[in-house]
Amino acid sequence: MSGNRELLEATLAEAASEDRAALIAYLPGGFPTVDGGIAAVKAAVAGGADVIEVGLPHSDPVLDGPVIQTADDIALRGGVKIADIMRTVREAHEATGAPILVMTYWNPIDRYGVERFTAELAEAGGAGCILPDLPVQESGLWREHAEKHGLATVFVVAPSSKDARLATITAAGTGFVYAASLMGVTGTRESVGEQAQDLVRRTRATSDLPVCVGIGVSTAEHARQVAGFADGVIVGSAFVKLMLDAPDEAAGLEGVRALAAELAEGVRKR
C-alpha cells in the first residue's frame, strides 16, 4: 500500500491556490493517552488544521522544549509504543482525511527497522516523516524506502544553515521543508524573529518545495506574520500546553479546537 505523500502535496498546493498558508498542528502521540491523542488530532482538524504532525515520544529529545518533553514523558510512562503511533495515524487519518506525518528522531526507526517502519506507516495512511536529527548524507536508506512506500521525507533547516547546505538538504527532501524560526528548542515565544523570513527566502532560492515555519509560533498574530512570508505555519507547544493546563481532557480538546480555529483565521489574513 502506498502512503499519502501526494495528499500532503495536494493539501499544501490547495492552500497556496487560496492565497494563504497551510496550518500544520503538532501533537504528541499517546498524550494524554493513546485515545486522547487521537481525539486531539481530530479536534485540531475540526478547528481548521490542514496537516497534522504526530510526535513519536522519545526519551532523549534534541529539538523539543520543556512543554513537549513533559507531554512525551507522560506518554512514555503510559507505555506508548510505535504500534500506538501507527494506530494514531490510521484512526486520525480515517476520521479526518487530513495528511498526517510522524515527527520522530532517528533512533526509534533505526531500532524498529526502516523497511518495517515505512511499510507500516504507509499502510496506516501516513503521509511521511519529519526527521530532525537524521543527517542528509546518512539518509539514503530511509529515502529509498520512503520513496518506495509513497512517503514524504521532511528535513529541518535552521537559520545557521549555509546556502550550500540548504541546497543539499532541499534536494534530498520531499513534501515540504521545515524551517526552524530560530536557534533553540520548541516552545512558545513572544515573537517570531526576522531570522525566519530570511531563512525562508534563502531556502526558496534552492528549491520549489513549500517552506513551512515552526518553533515559537503560538498565537493568531504569529500565524498571520509567518503566513505573510511562508507556505505553512507549524504550531506545537501552544496546543500541548493547553492540554497540559486543562482541568480535564474535554476542556483540553475544546482548547485545541478553539486555538486551531484562531490560528486558521490567522493564516488567512496574510
Side-chain angles (χ1 to χ4, degrees):
M1 180 174 177
S2 182
N4 274 312
R5 170 179 153 185
E6 290 185 359
L7 174 63
L8 171 66
E9 293 167 345
T11 301
L12 295 172
E14 182 178 0
S17 75
E18 296 171 359
D19 192 30
R20 66 175 180 88
L23 174 60
I24 303 174
Y26 168 94
L27 294 156
F31 168 75
T33 62
V34 176
D35 287 341
I38 294 168
V41 172
K42 294 177 183 177
V45 176
D50 299 290
V51 178
I52 298 291
E53 300 174 8
V54 172
L56 197 165
H58 188 51
S59 58
D60 302 296
V62 294
L63 185 69
D64 299 309
V67 170
I68 291 174
Q69 284 186 36
T70 299
D72 280 3
D73 185 56
I74 290 169
L76 289 168
R77 284 191 281 114
V80 69
K81 301 287 191 294
I82 287 178
D84 298 312
I85 302 303
M86 298 300 178
R87 180 186 151 212
T88 299
V89 171
R90 176 182 292 103
E91 294 189 14
H93 173 64
E94 287 176 351
T96 65
I100 301 183
L101 302 112
V102 171
M103 187 164 188
T104 178
Y105 299 104
W106 180 244
N107 181 259
I109 295 177
D110 191 39
R111 293 184 62 184
Y112 197 72
V114 176
E115 168 59 23
R116 180 184 177 195
F117 190 95
T118 52
E120 290 184 6
L121 182 57
E123 192 275 329
C129 266
I130 301 164
L131 302 160
D133 67 339
L134 177 63
V136 171
Q137 62 270 26
E138 297 175 21
S139 67
L141 179 64
W142 164 267
R143 288 188 286 129
E144 175 189 339
H145 287 288
E147 190 69 29
K148 180 170 80 171
H149 290 291
L151 298 170
T153 298
V154 179
F155 290 112
V156 179
V157 298
S160 61
S161 301
K162 304 298 184 186
D163 290 351
R165 178 68 176 163
L166 288 176
T168 300
I169 293 172
T170 58
T174 54
F176 65 91
V177 181
Y178 187 125
S181 70
L182 44 76
M183 299 301 293
V185 296
T186 60
T188 59
R189 303 291 198 282
E190 290 300 314
S191 64
V192 179
E194 293 179 8
Q195 285 182 318
Q197 189 165 358
D198 180 63
L199 177 58
V200 169
R201 177 189 60 77
R202 293 193 298 117
T203 303
R204 281 188 175 147
T206 71
S207 173
D208 291 330
L209 286 173
V211 184
C212 303
V213 171
I215 303 186
V217 184
S218 60
T219 67
E221 177 58 23
H222 288 167
R224 186 193 66 76
Q225 292 171 8
V226 174
F229 58 81
D231 302 295
V233 178
I234 303 169
V235 180
S237 294
F239 285 116
V240 179
K241 190 172 190 306
L242 275 173
M243 295 179 69
L244 284 169
D245 293 346
D248 53 52
E249 187 173 306
L253 294 174
E254 176 53 30
V256 167
R257 189 206 60 76
L259 177 59
E262 291 175 16
L263 295 166
E265 185 176 356
V267 301
R268 285 165 170 79
K269 291 182 176 178
R270 57 196 312 178

